Amino acid sequence: MSAGAPRGAGGESRGRGSGGLRASLAGLTTRGRSFLAAGVAAALCAYVLGQGELLRVGLLLAVLPLICVFALHRTRHRVSGSRRLTPMRVPAGSEARVRLRMENVSRLPTGLLMLQDRVPYVLGPRPRFVLDRVEPGGRREVSYRVRSDLRGRYPLGPLQLRLTDPFGLVELTRSFSAYDTLTVIPRTEALVPVRLTGETSGYGDGGRRSLALAGDDDVIPRTYRRGDDLRRVHWRSTARYGELMVRREEQPQRSKATVLLDTRGVAFEGAGPDSAFEWAVSGAASTLVHLLEQGFSARLLTDSGTSVPGSGGHGGGQESAEAAGLMMDTLAVVGHSDGAGLTRAYDAVRSGGGHGGGGFSGAGGDGLLIAFFGDLDDVQAEVAAKMRGRCGAAVAFVLDSALWAGRPSRVEERVGRLRDAGWTALAVPPGVAFGELWRRAGNAPLGTGTSGGWG
């Protein structure tokens, strides 16, 4: 038996069954066993009574189930099955289609077939299909859908096949070894381009500027040089400076961004699709996809210091899609960590290690830092405030468990400490859409944020 799953929008797994003749004999149904017992009894009675006609009847009754066992055993070896999953990666709450194909590669027709595919209970009920007789070389295809509101990686298979003969004397159940894996990634929201204000020291004199998440290159004119394309003449700057100026796209280096996800188990309460932690995971996923689409060199960082790098490309493309896929696969299975503090995350932000594409100078300099925090006590709020460093912009979304549970909360005090350190901090109340908070973060001045009150 072999199995394979090519990369792409879908994967296909194939398998061919095998088994011994003894296992096939064990597949005799009640009817088959009755036929065999009746045949043996008739043959014994014919021998004792000397009845030749009864002996022939007994032999027929006894041999018929054995012939069915042998025929079904031969067919059992020559039936192949395949499964195709499309797509192999879906957001939570979305459906994927699974196509099953059975092929009879023997010279004998099959009897009635029943297909059953093993799926985890979170994906729905176990699918079962009944197929009529399959002629030699014939194929049958069926399909079903799977859906999960919980992110994760779920195995599909192995496929089970139940074979029966036309008389219902033998029923064999076999399993293929091939299986596929469905990856359910967090839900993402389409985010609008915004400009996040902050301090930078990586360009020019290092004055105050805003980091654009609109994806457009900055156009900076320079003096015309011999050989420059006249189509790049910037006439407005030419009129302003009194000499011929041409456009120059400033791309000294790809803009860098870090998305920090707090996964501490002590920082979140509750579980399920509507919990604060799942909101944070979904927000981090939406942010990463947006940053990569806008050409940022982004990385995913957790409180444990684990970093997943990804290189974006202007206008998206294959490179951006692969980086997004890697990060989504990581977020699909991310869970709570045993850590109690953010020290490792702070060290990773300060050092900037683990980023692909020639190194990453952390969130320092003119980089962008977007963090999703859970509960912050006084100590962890101070550590988080220090992460601001020399970031070009820093935005924090704070999910306080008490606020989500409707209890008295000190989230405004924690958020205020982050604002004092230069963060654009926003308290996240339950039920708010991340896209709305994202727009408010883009409209907020430096060092300010949005409180938990929402109209």
Side-chain angles (χ1 to χ4, degrees):
M1 183 178 298
S2 60
R7 296 181 180 179
E12 183 173 349
S13 297
R14 295 181 176 271
R16 179 173 296 182
S18 63
L21 187 59
R22 181 178 299 179
S24 299
L25 287 171
L28 284 171
T29 62
T30 302
R31 180 185 299 178
R33 296 175 188 271
S34 300
F35 266 62
L36 186 59
V40 172
L44 291 176
C45 291
Y47 176 77
V48 173
L49 300 175
Q51 297 292 328
E53 296 294 334
L54 183 59
L55 179 60
R56 286 192 288 270
V57 173
L59 291 177
L60 175 63
L61 292 176
V63 171
L64 182 59
L66 299 179
I67 293 176
C68 292
V69 167
F70 180 76
L72 203 59
H73 173 73
R74 295 294 299 172
T75 305
R76 173 185 173 91
H77 280 275
R78 304 293 298 281
V79 176
S80 65
S82 66
R83 180 195 303 103
R84 184 168 185 83
L85 175 62
T86 308
M88 301 181 69
R89 183 189 293 120
V90 297
S94 300
E95 291 184 339
R97 178 180 290 274
V98 183
R99 292 180 173 86
L100 304 177
R101 184 174 67 178
M102 300 304 302
E103 182 177 1
N104 182 12
V105 296
S106 70
R107 297 180 180 179
L108 299 175
T110 69
L112 196 66
L113 302 179
M114 189 181 81
L115 298 180
Q116 177 177 274
D117 209 8
R118 291 185 179 180
V119 299
Y121 72 94
V122 296
L123 299 183
R126 181 170 295 184
R128 294 181 174 90
F129 305 93
V130 177
L131 304 180
D132 293 333
R133 172 180 178 273
V134 181
E135 67 279 3
R139 298 177 181 177
R140 297 292 186 271
E141 292 188 2
V142 293
S143 66
Y144 65 95
R145 294 181 179 273
V146 290
R147 177 182 180 274
S148 174
D149 293 326
L150 300 176
R151 57 186 176 82
R153 293 173 62 87
Y154 302 101
L156 300 179
L159 178 65
Q160 291 183 328
L161 176 64
R162 184 176 296 173
L163 302 166
T164 61
D165 66 287
F167 303 103
L169 303 179
V170 185
E171 185 176 87
L172 301 180
T173 301
R174 46 153 308 174
S175 296
F176 297 97
S177 62
Y179 68 94
D180 290 284
T181 301
L182 174 67
T183 303
V184 181
I185 63 176
R187 294 184 179 93
T188 58
E189 296 184 43
L191 304 180
V192 297
V194 298
R195 300 185 75 88
L196 302 176
T197 306
E199 298 285 344
T200 180
S201 59
Y203 297 89
D205 297 331
R208 183 176 299 234
R209 62 173 280 132
S210 59
L211 293 178
L213 297 185
D216 295 329
D217 295 322
D218 294 331
V219 178
I220 300 178
R222 61 170 175 80
T223 305
Y224 173 81
R225 299 171 185 170
R226 179 174 297 182
D228 287 336
D229 191 347
L230 293 178
R231 290 175 298 182
R232 300 180 61 86
V233 173
H234 194 266
W235 297 109
R236 182 178 298 180
S237 298
T238 299
R240 177 180 179 182
Y241 293 104
E243 58 179 324
L244 201 59
M245 307 290 289
V246 295
R247 293 186 181 90
R248 177 180 60 181
E249 294 181 353
E250 181 189 22
Q251 295 179 338
Q253 60 181 0
R254 179 174 294 169
S255 300
K256 294 166 292 192
T258 295
V259 176
L260 171 61
L261 176 62
D262 185 1
T263 64
R264 295 172 297 141
V266 298
F268 295 92
E269 294 180 5
D274 298 327
S275 64
F277 181 68
E278 293 301 322
W279 191 100
V281 173
S282 179
S286 301
T287 303
L288 286 167
V289 171
H290 182 70
L291 291 173
L292 292 172
E293 288 177 348
Q294 302 305 326
F296 277 72
S297 181
R299 67 167 175 170
L300 170 65
L301 181 66
T302 65
D303 59 284
S304 61
T306 304
S307 178
V308 180
S311 298
H314 291 284
Q318 183 67 22
E319 182 183 9
S320 178
E322 292 179 356
L326 176 61
M327 293 184 180
M328 292 304 104
D329 287 346
T330 302
L331 289 175
V333 296
V334 68
H336 291 300
S337 69
D338 297 330
L342 299 171
T343 304
R344 293 183 179 179
Y346 168 74
D347 294 337
V349 168
R350 183 177 58 180
S351 63
H355 194 280
F360 186 76
S361 59
D366 55 346
L368 172 63
L369 175 61
I370 300 177
F372 295 84
F373 293 120
D375 292 342
L376 296 174
D377 56 22
D378 292 336
V379 175
Q380 302 311 317
E382 184 65 26
V383 175
K386 293 179 180 179
M387 294 183 190
R388 175 63 177 86
R390 294 166 45 244
C391 303
V395 180
F397 301 95
V398 183
L399 298 93
D400 185 76
S401 297
L403 181 63
W404 277 65
R407 303 192 302 267
S409 172
R410 299 179 60 188
V411 65
E412 283 304 318
E413 177 183 340
R414 313 302 188 198
V415 168
R417 181 172 299 185
L418 295 179
R419 296 171 188 165
D420 293 340
W423 286 81
T424 298
L426 302 95
V428 181
V432 66
F434 177 63
E436 175 63 22
L437 283 178
W438 178 262
R439 286 189 292 269
R440 296 199 179 199
N443 296 330
L446 176 65
T448 64
T450 303
S451 65
W454 293 79

